[in-house]
Structures are given as C-alpha cells and as structure tokens.
Amino acid sequence: MFDSLVYWHWVVFGFVMLILEMLAPGAILMWFGIGAIIVGGLLFMFPEMSWELQVLIFAVFSITSVFAWKHWRKGKPEDDTESGTLNQRGRALIGRQVPLVEGIKNGVGRVQIDDTFWRVEGNDLEVGTLIRVTDAEGATLKVEPAINQ
C-alpha cells in the first residue's frame, strides 16, 4: 500500500491538513500539513525515496515544528488568556471616568457607560459627581471619586 505513494499524495494530504486547520483551533494541523507538503516536494525531486524514509521525514519535521512553534509562542502576551478582558466587560472599564447618573446612597448607585447602565458601589456621592472605576465584580463596578473634578 505505501509502496505506491507518489508526491501528489503527500501534497493533497498536506492541503487537507491545512484546510482542517482552518476549522480547528490550535495551529497544530498546520505543521503536519506543511510537513506533508515538504515530503511531497522532496519525493518529487527524489522519486526513488522509500516510503519508510518519507514517513520518517514527515514525522520528524512535523513533531519538531510543533514543539518549536509552542516554544516560540510560549512567552507571547497575546496568548495569555488569563490576563485579557474578553467576556469581562466590567474589567475592561477599569480606569474610566464618568459622571454618576444616580447618586451613591448607602454604598450603591448607577452610572451610564456608553449604552449600558452599571450598578456601582462606593462611598456616598451626589448625582453628577465624576467617578473613576477601580474594580469590577460581575456586573457591579467599584468606584471612587475622580481626582480631577
């Protein structure tokens, strides 16, 4: 079965892997696809290459490139999903300064940021006081009076 492998088998397999990579996250299948395309190119140039050597080249290139990619991407900040504010709208608002729409009484009030009204907690303040968002817990923002009132 493997004795009948020709270069275009590897190339087609490589492109199938690249297409599957577009459907699955993680940048893993891409390296197997590139490895298969490289083996196809080598087989085109050296058609007498045995199937064992083809599989060996494919495995070595694919596995080392996956580990090299993971090592190279390890320290990149955009891969740190813990530090982002995706799906944490309140955390994305930390540092914003806005006026109170509803004064803070008994530690609770409201502000409008963009098109959303937010519940705020902090020291009692009057309507219109400029506040700064310091923290967020769920849909509640922790606020303090802004310094430059």
Side-chain angles (χ1 to χ4, degrees):
M1 177 174 132
F2 292 118
D3 290 331
S4 62
L5 283 176
V6 291
Y7 73 93
W8 64 266
H9 289 123
W10 284 105
V11 173
V12 169
F13 177 66
F15 280 111
V16 166
M17 287 297 179
L18 291 176
I19 290 169
L20 288 174
E21 177 62 40
M22 289 188 264
L23 303 175
I28 299 293
L29 297 177
M30 171 178 65
W31 299 109
F32 288 97
I34 292 171
I37 292 171
I38 288 173
V39 171
L42 288 172
L43 189 57
F44 180 75
M45 294 186 318
F46 307 105
E48 67 283 344
M49 190 184 320
S50 70
W51 70 268
E52 293 93 350
L53 184 58
Q54 295 171 42
V55 172
L56 178 68
I57 292 170
F58 170 72
V60 167
F61 181 81
S62 298
I63 292 171
T64 54
S65 61
V66 167
F67 285 115
W69 174 254
K70 291 292 185 182
H71 177 73
W72 183 74
R73 296 296 294 172
K74 186 187 295 185
K76 303 296 183 202
E78 61 268 12
D79 286 347
D80 186 9
T81 57
E82 300 300 318
S83 67
T85 57
L86 183 64
N87 294 327
Q88 298 178 17
R89 285 185 63 204
R91 294 230 178 262
L93 300 174
I94 293 175
R96 293 268 307 255
Q97 294 185 7
V98 293
L100 284 171
V101 172
E102 189 177 293
I104 301 177
K105 291 187 177 48
N106 297 324
V108 179
R110 281 182 13 153
V111 294
Q112 181 177 1
I113 301 177
D114 300 326
D115 63 346
T116 305
F117 287 92
W118 291 84
R119 180 178 192 262
V120 296
E121 292 181 352
N123 296 331
D124 289 355
L125 298 168
E126 299 295 320
V127 174
T129 304
L130 191 63
I131 55 94
R132 183 175 64 85
V133 179
T134 59
D135 196 11
E137 290 181 11
T140 302
L141 303 176
K142 306 291 185 187
V143 298
E144 63 183 22
I147 296 172
N148 59 347
Q149 291 188 20

